[in-house]
Amino acid sequence: MNTNPTHRFPPDPWCLREQALDPATHFLNETLFALGNGYIGVRGTAEEGWSGPAGTSLDGTYLNGFYESEPIHYPETAHGLAKTNQFMLNVPNAKGIGIWLEDERFDPLQGRLEAYERRLDVRTGVLERSLRWTSPQGRTIALSSRRLVSFAEKHLLALEVEVTPLNFAGTVRIVAALDGAVKNLEAGDDPRVGSSVSGASLELVGTEQAGHFSALVQRTRNSGFMLVSATLTEATGEPECRRGNLRLEQVYTLQAVQDQPLRVTKYAAYHTSRDYPENELMARSRAVLEAARADGFAALAARQEAYLADFWGHADVEIIGDDLLQQGMRFNEFHLLQSVGRDGKTNISAKGVTGEGYEGHYFWDTEIYIFPFFLYNKPEIARALLEYRWAGLESARRRARQMSHPKGALYPWRTIAGEECSAYFPAGTAQYHINADVAYSIRQYLEATGDDDWMRAHGAEIVMETARIWTAIGSYDRHGRFVINEVTGPDEYTALVNNNYYTNAMAQAHLEFAAALSDRLAREFPDDHARVVRSMELDPAEPDEWRRAAGRMFLPYDAELRIHEQDDSFLSKKRWDFAGTPKENYPLLLNYHPMVIYRHQVCKQADVVLALLLLSSRFDAADKQRDFDYYEAVTTHDSSLSSCIFSIIAAEVGYADKAYDYFMETARLDLDDTHGNTCHGVHTAAMAGTWMGVAYGFGGMRTDGGTLRFAPTLPKRWQGYRFRIHLRGCLLQVSVTETGTIYSLLQGDALEFTHHGRGVALTAAQPQHEEAA
């Protein structure tokens, strides 16, 4: 991990500015300047493409939830191993616009680039570029471009390019291309990157091209989905249409006048049979493109800005006194919004829609890291994420049967469509805590929204069906304790252990919640209870069994060290030789066989420390401090999910400097590329962890146990900070400065909570309360 990053961008609190074009940073900047809307993701490669050295670009366009599948080949297979992988596809590039000045192609890496700036303003959601370029033969142009991926229309990408000849007149050709000759990044030695597939995964079914319109119709080889990629271009005159192998072009030949701009506007739409019947895809594509052309780019940009104004009005976190941090904060929130599916059929992948790291898979990152951000800022998106889990319940039931569980549901560790895609079960399928993580997010949602309708229709059945797995894999030992053996907790450097503390503690909370939900459903909504009982074939004795297992759950604790043991064997292992491990040997997973790591007392990420956050009210302050001290010393933070959790607990136990340092590792992790792999996509969990670091860490916000609590502190390097949360139909603003904390009820009738243990009640009549520092 690079702990001394160089800040490459000016510290603008709302904008990311690239002021030089450098092949050495191009691959990374393609990720940082990517645009998305939760469905379409477009990496930040310019419209004219990239002619730089090999390995400095991956010109990707992705559709959240659209995937190819392939068999997983094991040299030695076993029953229950994942059989099929799913991976997000690089789909046709619809943004291509080539520019020819007489016989010279515009290429900023040739000739002389005299001025250059690229800007991503997170208030507008538009990527802008302006430059001045002189060709090798001396022709000089000014070029500007704007690009957006529409938040209002999920299938739409729009862009506009303007070229002005500055010292010549003559023929300028504009070549608008739809290029299907794309492929995915092939996997190398890093297991986090790329797919094992080679070659194209999309087969051409047909094309349509006439006038300003082009469309490619393709089908995935194995998963069988159809894709229509279509473009509609606006430029002066009628184009010459050209067709090549998987490439359609509209060529506009224009007579340029010196100092007179030439403009081309291009709209692109993507539709797949995952969303609509195949026979509707082309008509839907045409309709979206015609509507976009009727609106025009300016109207689309205005609609984009209005959408974001509403988002920032609810979700903005203000940091007073640190523009670099403010930039990182808003950049992270913007990318979360760009990455998250909101249709109930898609989720949010570990890399969003910005790159191919982790193959576009969804993990527990959603429920434990990302879900809280949306729950308290855009609850409707949080609900859509839960609807995705509801849509995958049948697949989870099938997975449970594959794992020899006669009843219940087991959610996959990594997936796109609901099937388990993890080929390495010790750090995949063995992470049974995924079930408890899903149940935890449902509990958070119900407590924050009071949405009993969703609980009755979906939530209760998910919670109860997944709870069954704990009584299936757990058992009572000779001391009468309920134990859970042979699982892996959050720490992926410690696999296949007995009684992982996080897993057992979260399973306990899950079982308690499932039993309580069953009781409440039977008491308050008997018809819904009867329906769920029928659907699950629920034995009336099962809720009591859940309560019994929860009550006797074994939670490992070392009386001598007075810490919670990560698992039965963790403390008996030899400590990793941190002093003798060269910096270049981190992350460990890239330099040591898993068995070498598993034999040692070393953590990749927060494990017990994460339980201290999620189940905060079950621990006292002394426990938290001792646990933090012990596990900090053996944790590498090789996972981007780790530093934010350590920051939050450090803030709670009074380690202000550590809290701030860990927070800063998270806040600009991608902007400063501190993990060295942002070129393959942003780290969405760490981005959400930044929001958690402010609200849960410095704001001291906790909601476990059904009560809202705050314990704000102010980092000494800040003048103040402000964030907002949605809760039970209310919008609360928390403002912390050197003089104290102000709570403001911006929407809603009434809200009660505590401030450092003291009760606070806000109402519409008295919407503000101030506490002195």
Side-chain angles (χ1 to χ4, degrees):
M1 182 189 303
N2 176 14
T3 57
N4 294 295
T6 299
H7 304 304
R8 297 184 297 108
F9 303 104
D12 187 314
W14 286 103
C15 193
L16 195 63
R17 299 175 185 272
E18 179 187 52
Q19 297 178 309
L21 190 59
D22 184 357
T25 59
H26 185 265
F27 199 179
L28 170 62
N29 288 356
E30 282 183 342
T31 295
L32 301 181
F33 287 93
L35 293 180
N37 63 0
Y39 180 62
I40 300 172
V42 181
R43 284 175 62 82
T45 310
E47 290 78 13
E48 68 275 4
W50 178 251
S51 65
T56 60
S57 176
L58 174 63
D59 195 352
T61 303
Y62 310 104
L63 305 179
N64 190 3
F66 181 68
Y67 67 91
E68 174 61 311
S69 59
E70 59 180 0
I72 299 174
H73 298 289
Y74 299 95
E76 296 182 31
T77 190
H79 177 79
L81 296 183
K83 299 297 183 185
T84 304
N85 187 31
Q86 300 162 351
F87 57 94
M88 182 174 69
L89 281 172
N90 191 357
V91 299
N93 177 8
K95 68 180 183 297
I97 295 180
I99 300 169
W100 293 79
L101 316 176
E102 299 292 352
D103 59 344
E104 293 185 285
R105 182 183 177 106
F106 164 63
D107 181 345
L109 295 184
Q110 307 299 318
R112 188 169 67 253
L113 191 59
E114 298 168 353
Y116 176 87
E117 184 177 78
R118 181 162 57 160
R119 302 171 298 280
L120 176 57
D121 191 321
V122 300
R123 291 167 297 189
T124 66
V126 176
L127 179 63
E128 300 180 292
R129 181 175 59 145
S130 59
L131 59 86
R132 179 187 173 103
W133 177 77
T134 298
S135 74
Q137 295 180 22
R139 299 180 179 91
T140 300
I141 62 169
L143 181 144
S144 63
S145 65
R146 297 194 294 166
R147 181 192 305 173
L148 65 85
V149 178
S150 174
F151 286 117
E153 169 51 68
K154 91 172 201 178
H155 299 285
L156 180 66
L157 158 70
L159 55 96
E160 180 179 81
V161 177
E162 190 172 273
V163 182
T164 304
L166 298 181
N167 67 349
F168 71 98
T171 302
V172 173
R173 280 184 294 133
I174 306 291
V175 182
L178 175 60
D179 187 4
V182 297
K183 65 178 185 178
N184 279 63
L185 186 68
E186 293 184 32
D189 293 332
D190 189 338
R192 302 167 297 181
V193 178
S195 168
S196 60
V197 72
S198 60
S201 295
L202 288 165
E203 296 179 325
L204 185 65
V205 174
T207 63
E208 288 193 22
Q209 188 180 35
H212 307 279
F213 177 81
S214 290
L216 289 169
V217 184
Q218 296 168 292
R219 190 183 300 278
T220 56
R221 294 178 184 273
N222 299 319
S223 55
F225 299 123
M226 182 174 282
L227 165 68
V228 172
S229 311
T231 61
L232 188 62
T233 306
E234 282 188 302
T236 302
E238 287 297 314
E240 173 193 355
C241 292
R242 296 178 180 174
R243 297 179 182 227
N245 183 28
L246 290 175
R247 184 179 174 92
L248 305 177
E249 295 180 345
Q250 270 87 15
V251 181
Y252 297 85
T253 303
L254 310 174
Q255 293 305 308
V257 177
Q258 184 173 333
D259 297 325
Q260 296 296 311
L262 303 171
R263 178 179 297 169
V264 57
T265 307
K266 192 175 185 184
Y267 307 100
Y270 295 92
H271 289 79
T272 84
S273 58
R274 283 214 74 193
D275 292 320
Y276 307 106
E278 291 184 2
N279 60 4
E280 296 181 9
L281 300 181
M282 186 65 71
R284 286 182 177 275
S285 297
R286 288 182 178 275
V288 165
L289 295 175
E290 290 294 347
R293 179 168 65 174
D295 286 340
F297 190 92
L300 295 175
R303 201 171 300 152
Q304 191 87 337
E305 188 168 358
Y307 182 96
L308 285 166
D310 177 73
F311 171 72
W312 292 119
H314 293 271
D316 188 27
V317 175
E318 298 176 67
I319 307 295
I320 305 167
D322 190 331
D323 284 347
L324 276 170
L325 182 54
Q326 181 69 85
Q327 181 183 47
M329 192 80 233
R330 290 181 174 138
F331 174 83
N332 291 346
E333 292 190 57
F334 178 70
H335 263 287
L336 287 169
L337 182 66
Q338 290 199 127
S339 297
V340 67
R342 60 207 69 181
D343 55 9
K345 296 182 289 186
T346 54
N347 199 287
I348 179 169
S349 77
K351 295 290 188 177
V353 283
T354 66
E356 297 177 23
Y358 294 113
E359 302 176 279
H361 288 160
Y362 313 138
F363 293 79
W364 72 308
D365 305 26
T366 298
E367 281 75 24
I368 298 304
Y369 289 82
I370 299 167
F371 185 83
F373 170 76
F374 288 107
L375 176 61
Y376 297 116
N377 291 287
K378 285 194 72 75
E380 66 275 18
I381 293 180
R383 176 170 173 157
L385 292 172
L386 294 182
E387 287 170 353
Y388 168 83
R389 290 301 189 186
W390 169 253
L393 184 59
E394 286 306 315
S395 292
R397 285 178 168 130
R398 289 194 295 272
R399 182 57 178 159
R401 304 303 167 268
Q402 292 167 2
M403 295 299 294
S404 303
H405 305 311
K407 56 187 177 182
L410 176 61
Y411 277 104
W413 180 244
R414 55 189 296 176
T415 189
I416 294 177
E419 292 75 36
E420 178 64 81
C421 295
S422 178
Y424 185 64
F425 74 86
T429 297
Q431 298 205 47
Y432 268 69
H433 65 84
I434 181 67
N435 270 16
D437 302 330
V438 172
Y440 185 89
S441 69
I442 292 173
R443 184 170 192 165
Q444 279 192 304
Y445 176 77
L446 296 179
E447 290 175 349
T449 66
D451 188 353
D452 282 344
D453 289 342
W454 194 84
M455 182 273 290
R456 293 162 58 190
H458 306 308
E461 187 167 350
I462 295 175
V463 171
M464 292 193 290
E465 191 73 290
T466 52
R468 287 172 144 176
I469 297 299
W470 300 119
T471 50
I473 68 169
S475 60
Y476 294 92
D477 69 9
R478 61 192 179 88
H479 303 293
R481 305 173 302 185
F482 189 79
V483 297
I484 301 174
N485 295 325
E486 216 63 29
V487 296
T488 300
D491 171 29
E492 294 179 358
Y493 284 173
T494 310
L496 298 176
V497 298
N498 296 341
N499 297 307
N500 167 255
Y501 187 90
Y502 175 92
T503 301
N504 285 23
M506 290 290 283
Q508 181 184 52
H510 184 181
L511 290 163
E512 292 169 349
F513 181 39
L517 264 187
S518 177
D519 288 350
R520 184 178 174 220
L521 209 63
R523 184 175 63 253
E524 298 180 19
F525 309 105
D527 290 344
D528 293 295
H529 182 260
R531 173 182 49 80
V532 171
V533 166
R534 287 194 301 273
S535 174
M536 292 176 56
E537 298 181 357
L538 183 69
D539 188 307
E542 284 188 72
D544 287 336
E545 172 75 12
W546 300 337
R547 270 186 287 268
R548 179 170 177 260
R552 297 191 181 184
M553 184 67 68
F554 176 49
L555 300 172
Y557 186 82
D558 186 275
E560 182 179 348
L561 295 174
R562 300 174 67 197
I563 64 167
H564 298 93
E565 298 181 64
Q566 185 166 303
D567 58 71
D568 282 0
S569 62
F570 188 79
L571 298 182
S572 66
K573 295 176 180 177
K574 177 183 177 182
R575 277 205 181 195
W576 186 269
D577 180 12
F578 295 98
T581 303
K583 290 183 179 180
E584 60 268 22
N585 281 16
Y586 293 94
L588 301 182
L589 78 161
L590 299 184
N591 295 285
Y592 300 93
H593 190 283
M595 290 298 295
V596 174
I597 299 173
Y598 295 164
R599 292 190 189 108
H600 287 83
Q601 195 177 142
V602 58
C603 298
K604 182 183 181 184
Q605 62 209 90
D607 194 298
V608 169
V609 176
L610 180 56
L612 302 180
L613 170 63
L614 301 185
L615 304 172
S616 180
S617 61
R618 302 187 182 208
F619 304 90
D620 63 30
D623 277 335
K624 291 177 182 177
Q625 185 173 25
R626 287 191 298 269
D627 285 348
F628 179 93
D629 289 344
Y630 189 88
Y631 290 104
E632 182 190 31
V634 295
T635 302
T636 65
H637 308 290
D638 284 349
S639 168
S640 62
L641 279 63
S642 189
S643 293
C644 61
I645 304 303
F646 273 80
S647 172
I648 293 166
I649 301 304
E652 184 176 3
V653 301
Y655 296 156
D657 290 341
K658 287 184 177 183
Y660 194 82
D661 289 344
Y662 280 124
F663 177 77
M664 289 304 294
E665 285 182 17
T666 302
R668 290 182 59 93
L669 186 150
D670 284 312
L671 281 180
D672 296 329
D673 195 24
T674 57
H675 278 241
N677 62 353
T678 295
C679 59
H680 299 300
V682 298
H683 298 76
T684 54
M687 288 177 154
T690 309
W691 180 87
M692 292 167 65
V694 174
Y696 291 173
F698 303 124
M701 175 179 157
R702 299 290 186 274
T703 58
D704 65 298
T707 61
L708 176 63
R709 313 184 298 280
F710 294 99
T713 59
L714 179 66
K716 59 186 178 183
R717 303 178 203 183
W718 299 357
Q719 298 167 24
Y721 61 96
R722 182 181 299 117
F723 65 94
R724 298 174 178 181
I725 64 163
H726 285 265
L727 194 73
R728 295 276 177 164
C730 297
L731 180 61
L732 175 69
Q733 178 172 279
V734 182
S735 303
V736 183
T737 66
E738 295 172 347
T739 59
T741 303
I742 299 175
Y743 298 98
S744 304
L745 186 63
L746 304 181
Q747 296 175 12
D749 297 327
L751 191 63
E752 294 184 359
F753 51 90
T754 66
H755 170 91
H756 287 288
R758 296 187 297 275
V760 177
L762 300 180
T763 64
Q766 293 184 315
Q768 194 169 94
H769 177 83
E770 184 169 356
E771 289 276 354

